[in-house]
Amino acid sequence: MPLALLQERLGHRFRHADLLTEALTHPSYLPDNPGAGAHNQRLEFLGDSVLHFVLAEALFREFPGAREGVLSRRRAVLTKGEFLSRLALDLGLDSVVRISRSEEETGGRTRASILEDALEAVIGAIYLDSDFETARHVVLGWYGPLTARLALTEGTDNPKGRLQEIVQPEHGNSALRYEVIEATGPKHARAYEVAVYLHEELLGTGRGSSKKSAEEEAARVALQTLRQR
């Protein structure tokens, strides 16, 4: 893909094309091409910070009633490597990233870690080429409406099922119990708080606009609790 077409897909026309070239240069490319300039690790570092702040601010505004833990988990969903590599593929970075011949021969052009790094580096390059507001506008344009993006991503998530899979081998099928500990608000706008117990041990709590969503949130917290042990 020509870089001019890539810039159209990114939604940003670079004033300093060398920044884009650097963002697309994987470290493996340089030993075979010593005059190719810098690799993208510094831009990746910057772009990672810009991305996290852009999404933190957007989620803060999009979900005014959400707690810190919920916002953090939603940002984590939108910044995990698998998600970013798919986004990089959608933008066409796989066809323009500069990698070594050995990486090329072993499938590096579609390797998730390489694509994730390239995407974050491109974000850093856009920020340096323009300003934060431009970078924010471009990045959020890639994501589209965050509620829809999260619904699509979280729709394949099954925290209650994953929690059951972890607990069942040692404790059996009936070891988990979900209990509503609070229900507030009018009937048409209920808010539920649910606790999940392993036998009599509290693993986590969650809130939601339905019992199901509150149970799922409690299960996500419980999974984090078990991972920290």
Side-chain angles (χ1 to χ4, degrees):
M1 180 194 303
L3 291 186
L5 177 58
L6 173 65
Q7 291 177 79
E8 289 183 17
R9 296 183 72 164
L10 293 175
H12 178 74
R13 179 71 59 181
F14 278 82
R15 293 178 296 171
H16 305 287
D18 56 317
L19 282 171
L20 178 58
T21 300
E22 181 179 336
L24 297 172
T25 303
H26 187 260
S28 67
Y29 185 78
L30 296 186
D32 296 335
N33 301 274
H39 59 65
N40 63 8
Q41 287 185 332
R42 282 173 53 83
L43 286 175
E44 174 207 341
F45 166 78
L46 178 61
D48 175 73
S49 296
V50 173
L51 174 63
H52 276 73
F53 186 81
V54 165
L55 291 175
E57 181 189 39
L59 290 167
F60 182 85
R61 297 182 184 280
E62 186 76 19
F63 303 100
R67 295 180 177 180
E68 176 191 3
V70 174
L71 295 175
S72 294
R73 284 189 289 277
R74 286 175 175 170
R75 183 179 61 180
V77 167
L78 297 173
T79 57
K80 64 182 180 180
E82 179 185 352
F83 184 93
L84 294 183
S85 64
R86 289 201 307 268
L87 188 56
L89 285 170
D90 291 343
L91 293 168
L93 297 189
D94 57 310
S95 65
V96 291
V97 66
R98 303 204 296 179
I99 56 178
S100 68
R101 180 173 298 179
S102 61
E103 285 285 359
E104 187 91 49
E105 292 172 350
T106 56
R109 195 163 290 282
T110 57
R111 186 166 295 127
S113 59
I114 290 177
L115 292 174
E116 175 190 357
D117 291 351
L119 182 70
E120 291 176 339
V122 167
I123 294 171
I126 292 171
Y127 170 75
L128 291 179
D129 190 63
S130 53
D131 51 37
F132 177 76
E133 282 303 312
T134 300
R136 183 179 69 84
H137 176 76
V138 170
V139 168
L140 293 180
W142 298 345
Y143 276 84
L146 293 184
T147 50
R149 180 72 78 166
L150 283 165
L152 183 63
T153 304
E154 294 177 341
T156 60
D157 187 21
N158 182 14
K160 292 181 65 177
R162 286 189 288 126
L163 182 61
Q164 181 69 27
E165 289 173 358
I166 291 172
V167 167
Q168 190 273 334
E170 183 176 352
H171 299 279
N173 291 326
S174 304
L176 292 172
R177 184 177 85 257
Y178 293 87
E179 182 176 314
V180 176
I181 57 178
E182 186 179 36
T184 58
K187 289 184 178 180
H188 66 278
R190 282 283 193 187
Y192 294 89
E193 185 169 7
V194 169
V196 57
Y197 295 87
L198 175 58
H199 299 301
E200 298 305 314
E201 178 189 3
L202 176 64
L203 291 183
T205 62
R207 295 182 64 87
S209 58
S210 67
K211 291 180 183 178
K212 178 182 177 182
S213 63
E215 288 177 355
E216 289 175 344
E217 188 61 28
R220 290 189 182 95
V221 174
L223 287 167
Q224 289 188 337
T225 299
L226 295 177
R227 278 196 291 265
Q228 291 169 0
R229 293 181 175 177

